[in-house]
Amino acid sequence: MQGCYVPKNILPPSVPLASLSVDVCTNECLLSPSNSFAAIGTNCTCLPSLDGFNLANIAECNQKCTTDGEFCGNALNTRLSVYQLLAVSIPSGITLQTTPTSTTRPSTDDNSILGTGTNVNQRRIALYISIAVVSLLLIALVIYCIRRKQKEASIPTLPRLHSSSKTRMILPNLPETSDMVYSVQTPYTPRRSDEIPLNANDVVKVGDYHPNGWGYATNVTTGTQGLIPLVTLAQNDRNGVVTIPSRD
């Protein structure tokens, strides 16, 4: 997996698939040579580049695909699992030799010579085809090994977020999880001595939280502990305006 990404604006058109998996989506995107990445959430989205995306914490892409068990974004469809496409190409430098044609009618002696040359060319064509097939098989084996290593390397080092259909919501866009680990969406500068600063993409673990929208948390990235506004952990609106609740 290339990583876990969040779109900056509106997603490009996606391809709805009946059975969503990494292999099905990447094969769909390989149909167009301009595509370089496959982004998977609730649907399959083919991308020529990642210019319209920001890298998120890989622990936020915790949703499993419906068939192969790989990661397909998150439950709220605000994060996408991005996979780089690896296209198989035919080895260069292989040319097929065809039987030459003649505009003049050969004599009886020439026919025997032409038949011998045709057999030689056919054997050469068969040899070239065999080489091409073996080369393709070797390339496919290399790609399989690379993808397997990428899958092994994509195991997150931070606790993964767990979601279910009965998830309790702390805020409208912030679900309560079993490990209460989140990534900061909006930076925050403390206003009181018992509050801690937050930078974008910091990883925090929430301990206790209050209905007024504040909670006690540990900033895993910086190692600090204190009160934070929980709205900084929720997915923001497109206008980027975040209202910090009062503690009074």
Side-chain angles (χ1 to χ4, degrees):
M1 185 170 69
Q2 180 77 12
C4 184
Y5 286 78
V6 55
K8 296 179 181 178
N9 296 304
I10 301 176
L11 276 174
S14 59
V15 180
L17 300 173
S19 178
L20 186 61
S21 68
V22 174
D23 288 338
V24 171
C25 182
T26 53
N27 289 337
E28 181 71 23
C29 293
L30 282 173
L31 296 177
S32 175
S34 63
N35 294 324
S36 300
F37 301 90
I40 307 176
T42 56
N43 289 322
C44 174
T45 303
C46 302
L47 304 170
S49 68
L50 296 176
D51 293 340
F53 292 78
N54 288 327
L55 182 64
N57 194 298
I58 195 171
E60 297 180 53
C61 287
N62 64 310
Q63 185 75 9
K64 294 295 184 68
C65 297
T66 56
T67 56
D68 59 0
E70 293 295 325
F71 292 104
C72 289
N74 66 355
L76 298 176
N77 200 32
T78 57
R79 299 292 184 272
L80 298 178
S81 298
V82 175
Y83 295 84
Q84 186 172 8
L85 303 180
L86 298 173
V88 178
S89 59
I90 299 176
S92 59
I94 297 179
T95 56
L96 301 181
Q97 184 174 356
T98 58
T99 303
T101 59
S102 177
T103 57
T104 59
R105 186 174 182 178
S107 62
T108 304
D109 293 335
D110 291 337
N111 282 334
S112 61
I113 297 175
L114 181 61
T116 303
T118 301
N119 292 335
V120 172
N121 289 335
Q122 289 177 346
R123 287 195 294 270
R124 288 180 179 176
I125 292 174
L127 177 61
Y128 292 153
I129 293 176
S130 300
I131 294 175
V133 171
V134 172
S135 299
L136 289 175
L137 291 176
L138 291 176
I139 292 175
L141 179 61
V142 171
I143 292 176
Y144 171 79
C145 294
I146 292 175
R147 292 190 61 182
R148 185 165 184 176
K149 289 183 179 180
Q150 289 177 342
K151 290 179 180 179
E152 294 174 354
S154 65
I155 299 176
T157 56
L158 292 173
R160 293 202 297 266
L161 302 180
H162 302 283
S163 61
S164 66
S165 58
K166 299 181 180 179
T167 301
R168 178 181 176 184
M169 303 301 291
I170 302 175
L171 298 176
N173 293 332
L174 186 65
E176 182 182 85
T177 63
S178 59
D179 48 21
M180 299 296 287
V181 175
Y182 304 90
S183 289
V184 176
Q185 304 297 316
T186 304
Y188 176 72
T189 301
R191 300 174 181 176
R192 300 185 183 183
S193 59
D194 56 352
E195 299 173 1
I196 60 175
L198 301 173
N199 299 312
N201 297 322
D202 280 358
V203 177
V204 299
K205 181 176 179 62
V206 179
D208 297 327
Y209 61 89
H210 193 269
N212 64 359
W214 287 79
Y216 186 83
T218 299
N219 190 326
V220 179
T221 303
T222 62
T224 56
Q225 294 180 329
L227 295 176
I228 63 170
L230 299 176
V231 70
T232 59
L233 308 180
Q235 182 69 23
N236 302 329
D237 296 334
R238 291 181 181 175
N239 57 16
V241 178
V242 175
T243 301
I244 304 299
S246 173
R247 290 178 54 186
D248 298 331

